[in-house]
Amino acid sequence: MKLLALPAFDDNYIWLLHNGQDAVVVDPGEAEPVLAALRQHALRLVAILVTHHHADHIGGLDALQTALGTIPIYGPSREGLAGIATTPADGQRFDWLGLDWQVLEVPGHTIDHLAYIAHVPDESPLLFCGDTLFSAGCGRLFEGSPAQMFASLQRLAALPLDTRICCAHEYTLANLRFAQLIEPDNVDLVTYVALCQRRRAARESTLPVRLETELKINPFLRCHQPAVVAAAQAHGANSPDPASVFAALRQWKNHFR
């Protein structure tokens, strides 16, 4: 299986997974990067997966259907998305590209956000999580509650440690600045910052990133750690409870520049 991160807009990634013949694309906010990749690799698009309804994730749907004909679209329906062929249920499994895929409901960024896990034989699982989880960060709460997002992140944190996280945005360096403010003495964080700075300087993506790494450096997955708790309590957390810590961190991050 080949995984491609197709740049779109200023900092989006459209993820395309293919086996040399057929392809699945996740969150095509623009059509042209997808069409170009299909032409370059002589691929047939067999399914479109949508995580949520924001325009930078669905803006290319109509153009793809116009160019390629009717391609099955899988995604949330409660958000009013047109053209959805199937609305997957939490835990539902699909066979795309001959792989076992699992769907997770991960509300928070939006109320009806989905994530997709591809189980690739002899390789680490792939998680396509839209705007729920970012490297060193998480999505803003546009519709869901802090409790919903915290629960969603906990679900993702419980996946196998070697899971490769395919986030929808290249926000890593900005997120790391906030993470270092929270945990300035985190040695793993210092090492990861240096790695990501080298990658971006070379015009390389910081993604995908393994869950094992995120559990060491992402403050939104570390709400039980003493340094993270102390930082959150200094910025409004009502208690050391991880859910309260998360809510304070997310509110703080909303105003961080």
Side-chain angles (χ1 to χ4, degrees), residues 225-245:
Q225 293 292 330
V228 179
V229 172
Q233 287 188 301
H235 284 79
N238 297 323
S239 78
D241 177 75
S244 177
V245 169

Side-chain angles (χ1 to χ4, degrees), residues 49-226:
L49 313 184
V50 173
T51 62
H52 65 292
H53 66 86
H54 287 163
D56 60 326
H57 294 253
I58 65 168
L61 292 179
D62 289 345
L64 287 175
Q65 298 283 37
T66 299
L68 303 174
T70 302
I71 308 296
I73 303 174
Y74 300 80
S77 64
R78 291 192 295 258
E79 295 181 329
L81 284 176
I84 297 295
T86 301
T87 300
D90 185 54
Q92 189 171 357
R93 304 187 93 97
F94 291 88
D95 183 336
W96 296 309
L97 304 179
L99 303 178
D100 175 30
W101 293 69
Q102 183 180 4
V103 178
L104 296 179
E105 291 182 358
V106 285
H109 180 67
T110 62
I111 203 66
D112 202 18
H113 199 298
L114 299 177
Y116 302 88
I117 304 170
H119 300 278
V120 184
D122 302 319
E123 295 183 30
S124 302
L126 290 164
L127 169 67
F128 301 95
C129 54
D131 288 357
T132 296
L133 177 63
F134 298 127
S135 187
C138 72
R140 286 178 177 266
L141 307 181
F142 287 107
E143 297 170 10
S145 67
Q148 286 177 314
M149 180 63 104
F150 179 72
S152 293
L153 292 175
Q154 291 298 106
R155 291 193 76 183
L156 299 183
L159 295 174
L161 292 178
D162 63 341
T163 299
R164 291 171 287 168
I165 302 168
C166 301
C167 316
H169 290 275
E170 183 61 70
Y171 289 164
T172 306
L173 291 183
N175 287 338
L176 285 169
R177 289 195 293 273
F178 181 72
Q180 285 194 294
L181 181 64
I182 305 300
E183 289 190 281
D185 299 323
N186 184 333
V187 176
D188 292 314
L189 190 52
V190 172
T191 301
Y192 187 59
V193 168
L195 172 64
C196 291
Q197 287 175 336
R198 289 195 300 271
R199 286 179 174 172
R200 295 307 291 155
R203 299 182 182 274
E204 297 174 355
S205 173
T206 62
L207 304 170
V209 58
R210 290 182 183 266
L211 177 60
E212 182 177 19
T213 297
E214 287 303 302
L215 292 173
K216 296 176 181 178
I217 60 92
N218 191 324
F220 296 101
L221 300 182
R222 295 172 55 79
C223 294
H224 59 290
Q225 293 292 330

Side-chain angles (χ1 to χ4, degrees), residues 34-51:
V34 179
L35 294 172
L38 295 175
R39 290 191 298 266
Q40 178 182 354
H41 299 281
L43 301 171
R44 178 175 68 112
L45 187 61
V46 297
I48 299 171
L49 313 184
V50 173
T51 62

